[in-house]
């Protein structure tokens, strides 16, 4: 949590590794960093969201870097920046219940202004207006993976990652509209989600999901490729978005487990590219096993953990969590070379002779997302619009665990125990709050009114 606050304060623009020159506060970086502090400094998180929305353009996309001293911004033209705002705003409202935030007026960077909710909707409309020949969102200037943006030299590139990110965003808006009773808006978002569902076969490669289509129409992240056959992010986000079928989800994550898991975490792609393919696919700007070319890009690991939780494969989720846990590096300092008490951005992959060596510690989106993965999915305490989910997952070797979490001013004290040591599943047999039986796994906020501490017992 300390790293979450540090990353929230500084984004990526000054550290041991970054000089602080022409770096600023990254739009997509900071829209994710707010997730790690939403429960501790929600007002500051809201203010940061507003600062970032102010550098969104009226068309719907956003500038990529914001300078807080001058209020100016630069860059932009990427396909993913604006979509990150949806999850951040929805998470803030679930955490605080501040629905009035949606109606607040925020100016666009170029001209005009709109409500916070309209900013989110305009971002969705922008993405839907930029589809490629397969009907998949264009990568434009790049997406989350900066390295592979080099393939845009081949022409109009379609990003399967942004495709799943779009579906995830409209799914979040559908849940919000449903709670608000906004039927017309719900139908609009549902139509986009249905469109994404109709394109699922286009991006499925048989054992996993593709990463992109390049300007030649060739597949990126396919079994047909010589290298970079399999990318991590499209497998996890297929599940986070809810688009993938059960069979596809299991096959995709089984492929991740088979090919991509190292002792230090899950690698970003497999196999690492040996070098540039100048003629057609010059998209890997690093040596084999370095950064986006087959390293353990730590930011992407929490998404795989969340995906495994959603699939109910708890042992895989805990395994991936512990592989990347900084304290596991404490007795491997001569290999890892980064502090064993914070997450770093990336760790050299198995294709590199210095496998296990880390770089760019502290300022990484890994911190916020790993906190979300641990607290809301592994530990399972997840605020929603009308209540808080209590869906803890427990490692097979554990008999019990204890969690404390403050939700809307109420301290939840959660004791989890397994009644039968021979059973390793995480099905909840009984959920009680202050001695009262709860039906389902969500405690309504109405039950927390006037309560300072809630004693919650979960029996698996």
């Amino acid at each position: 949590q300390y790293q979450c606050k540090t990353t929230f304060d500084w984004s990526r623009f000054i550290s041991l590794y970054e000089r602080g020159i022409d770096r600023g506060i990254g739009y997509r970086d900071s829209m994710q960093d707010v997730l790690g502090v939403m429960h501790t400094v929600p007002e500051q998180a809201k203010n940061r969201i507003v600062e970032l929305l102010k550098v969104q353009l009226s068309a719907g996309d956003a500038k990529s870097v914001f300078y807080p001293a001058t209020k100016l911004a630069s860059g932009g033209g990427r396909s993913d920046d604006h979509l990150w705002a949806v999850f951040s705003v929805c998470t803030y409202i679930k955490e605080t219940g501040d629905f009035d935030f949606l109606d607040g007026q925020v100016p666009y960077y170029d001209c005009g202004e709109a409500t916070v909710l309209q900013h989110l909707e305009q971002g969705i409309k922008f993405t839907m207006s930029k589809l490629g020949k397969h009907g998949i969102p264009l990568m434009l200037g790049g997406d989350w993976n900066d390295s592979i943006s080099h393939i845009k030299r081949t022409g109009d590139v379609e990003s399967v990652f942004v495709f799943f990110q779009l579906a995830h965003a409209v799914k979040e808006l559908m849940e919000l509209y449903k709670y608000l009773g906004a039927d017309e808006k719900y139908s609009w978002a549902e139509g986009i989600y249905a469109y994404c569902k109709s394109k699922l076969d286009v991006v499925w490669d048989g054992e996993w999901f593709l990463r992109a289509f390049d300007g030649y129409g060739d597949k990126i992240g396919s079994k047909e490729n010589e290298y970079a056959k399999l990318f991590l992010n499209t497998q996890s986000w297929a599940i986070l978005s809810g688009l993938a079928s059960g069979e596809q989800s299991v096959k995709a994550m089984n492929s991740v487990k088979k090919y991509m898991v190292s002792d230090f975490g899950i690698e970003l792609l497999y196999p690492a590219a040996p070098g540039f393919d100048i003629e057609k696919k010059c998209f890997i700007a690093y040596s084999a096993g370095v950064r986006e070319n087959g390293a353990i890009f730590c930011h992407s690991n929490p998404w795989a953990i969340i995906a495994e939780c959603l699939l109910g494969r708890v042992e895989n989720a805990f395994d991936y969590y512990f592989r990347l846990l900084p304290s596991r590096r404490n007795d491997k300092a001569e290999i890892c070379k980064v502090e064993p008490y914070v997450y770093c951005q990336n760790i050299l992959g198995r294709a590199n002779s210095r496998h296990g060596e880390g770089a760019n510690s502290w300022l990484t989106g890994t911190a916020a997302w790993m906190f979300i993965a641990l607290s809301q999915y592994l530990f399972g305490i997840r605020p929603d619009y009308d209540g808080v989910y209590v869906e803890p997952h427990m490692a097979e070797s554990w008999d019990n665990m204890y969690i404390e979490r403050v939700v809307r001013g109420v301290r939840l004290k959660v004791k989890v125990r397994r009644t039968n040591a021979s059973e390793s599943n995480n099905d909840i047999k009984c959920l009680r709050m202050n001695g009262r039986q709860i039906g389902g796994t969500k405690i309504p906020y109405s039950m927390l009114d006037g309560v300072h501490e809630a004693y919650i017992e979960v029996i698996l």
Side-chain angles (χ1 to χ4, degrees):
Q1 294 193 62
Y2 185 83
Q3 185 178 2
C4 285
K5 182 58 165 63
T6 301
T7 306
F8 168 77
D9 287 339
W10 292 105
S11 190
R12 310 292 177 275
F13 77 91
I14 186 167
S15 73
L16 176 65
Y17 305 95
E18 302 292 350
R19 298 178 296 275
I21 301 171
D22 196 34
R23 184 69 176 174
I25 290 178
Y27 188 99
R28 68 180 178 206
D29 294 332
S30 294
M31 272 299 185
Q32 295 171 81
D33 293 339
V34 297
L35 301 174
V37 298
M38 211 72 84
H39 64 302
T40 51
V41 288
E43 195 66 22
Q44 291 181 41
K46 180 178 74 171
N47 292 340
R48 177 61 55 79
I49 290 172
V50 171
E51 283 183 326
L52 294 168
L53 289 178
K54 286 179 180 177
V55 301
Q56 185 181 10
L57 301 168
S58 56
D61 59 334
K63 294 288 188 178
S64 53
V65 178
F66 163 68
Y67 302 96
T70 63
K71 308 301 181 186
L72 297 176
S74 65
R78 297 191 298 216
S79 58
D80 68 315
D81 281 336
H82 50 282
L83 293 174
W84 294 108
V86 175
F87 189 64
S88 301
V89 170
C90 291
T91 300
Y92 167 76
I93 296 170
K94 291 174 183 177
E95 189 71 48
T96 64
D98 180 12
F99 287 93
D100 290 341
F101 180 51
L102 292 171
D103 298 321
Q105 291 286 327
V106 179
Y108 288 112
Y109 189 71
D110 51 350
C111 62
E113 65 176 17
T115 67
V116 168
L117 183 56
Q118 288 168 337
H119 273 262
L120 305 185
E121 293 165 345
Q122 193 64 14
I124 301 293
K125 293 173 183 176
F126 176 84
T127 298
M128 287 300 294
S129 72
K130 304 291 183 182
L131 302 178
K133 61 185 177 183
H134 293 90
I136 305 303
L138 293 172
M139 186 178 286
L140 304 177
D143 63 14
W144 177 90
N145 189 334
D146 292 321
S147 177
I148 67 169
S149 65
H150 292 284
I151 63 175
K152 69 180 183 287
R153 301 173 188 173
T154 62
D156 284 342
V157 176
E158 295 168 275
S159 170
V160 179
F161 174 78
V162 173
F163 167 75
F164 285 125
Q165 193 184 5
L166 167 68
H168 182 269
V170 293
K171 178 171 170 281
E172 284 289 329
L173 288 179
M174 286 166 61
E175 293 173 2
L176 175 61
Y177 295 146
K178 184 176 181 179
Y179 179 80
L180 295 175
D183 295 340
E184 188 174 335
K185 288 179 179 289
Y186 181 91
S187 296
W188 167 73
E190 186 181 37
I192 298 173
Y193 194 77
Y195 170 81
C196 293
K197 195 81 170 178
S198 73
K199 292 293 180 180
L200 204 55
D201 288 344
V202 175
V203 298
W204 177 245
D205 199 51
E207 297 294 326
W208 56 76
F209 289 97
L210 303 173
R211 181 59 176 82
F213 293 98
D214 68 14
Y216 300 103
D218 292 343
K219 300 173 183 177
I220 305 295
S222 167
K223 58 180 178 292
E224 299 171 9
N225 300 146
E226 180 183 356
Y227 49 80
K229 297 172 181 286
L230 172 60
F231 285 77
L232 174 59
N233 286 352
T234 43
Q235 317 319 315
S236 54
W237 276 82
I239 297 164
L240 267 63
S241 70
L243 281 185
S245 69
E247 182 181 0
Q248 288 172 329
S249 299
V250 169
K251 281 186 175 181
M253 293 309 293
N254 281 350
S255 296
V256 168
K257 186 174 183 177
K258 180 178 180 180
Y259 296 110
M260 309 184 82
V261 179
S262 80
D263 185 50
F264 294 95
I266 311 171
E267 294 166 345
L268 189 62
L269 62 79
Y270 173 87
F276 284 107
D277 181 341
I278 298 298
E279 181 182 354
K280 294 186 70 173
K281 297 191 180 77
C282 62
F283 63 93
I284 301 296
Y286 299 98
S287 301
V290 178
R291 291 176 64 93
E292 285 99 331
N293 187 12
I296 299 110
F297 209 91
C298 303
H299 189 154
S300 60
N301 276 232
W303 298 331
I305 293 169
I306 294 171
E308 291 287 12
C309 284
L310 293 175
L311 293 179
R313 307 195 327 174
V314 179
E315 286 308 296
N316 285 345
F318 271 104
D319 177 43
Y320 299 157
Y321 175 75
F322 286 122
R323 285 175 189 269
L324 201 65
L325 193 65
S327 57
R328 286 191 66 245
R329 304 194 298 260
N330 198 38
D331 59 351
K332 300 176 181 178
E334 73 285 359
I335 298 173
C336 297
K337 299 184 179 179
V338 289
E339 303 94 320
Y341 45 82
V342 291
Y343 288 102
C344 59
Q345 182 200 68
N346 61 93
I347 298 170
L348 295 177
R350 291 169 295 174
N352 194 279
S353 60
R354 305 203 312 273
H355 172 47
E357 183 176 321
N360 287 52
S361 59
W362 280 103
L363 302 185
T364 165
T366 311
W369 273 107
M370 193 61 86
F371 182 75
I372 291 289
L374 178 64
S375 63
Q376 296 196 16
Y377 291 90
L378 284 172
F379 289 167
I381 313 300
R382 191 169 67 258
D384 198 16
Y385 297 118
D386 56 355
V388 56
Y389 284 103
V390 180
E391 298 178 338
H393 297 101
M394 198 154 62
E396 188 175 281
S397 59
W398 297 1
D399 296 321
N400 58 78
M401 63 182 183
Y402 178 75
I403 310 153
E404 283 197 20
R405 168 74 154 86
V406 176
V407 176
R408 300 198 184 184
V410 181
R411 182 172 294 275
L412 307 183
K413 297 186 173 184
V414 184
K415 290 184 177 180
V416 186
R417 62 187 176 92
R418 185 174 279 124
T419 54
N420 190 336
S422 64
E423 294 183 4
S424 60
N425 66 61
N426 280 265
D427 296 335
I428 296 177
K429 296 185 176 69
C430 179
L431 174 63
R432 287 192 287 260
M433 190 191 88
N434 293 342
R436 181 178 172 182
Q437 184 84 22
I438 305 294
T441 60
K442 183 191 285 187
I443 299 174
Y445 290 132
S446 58
M447 290 186 64
L448 300 178
D449 288 345
V451 176
H452 298 294
E453 292 186 337
Y455 296 88
I456 298 170
E457 182 183 16
V458 183
I459 299 175
L460 302 179

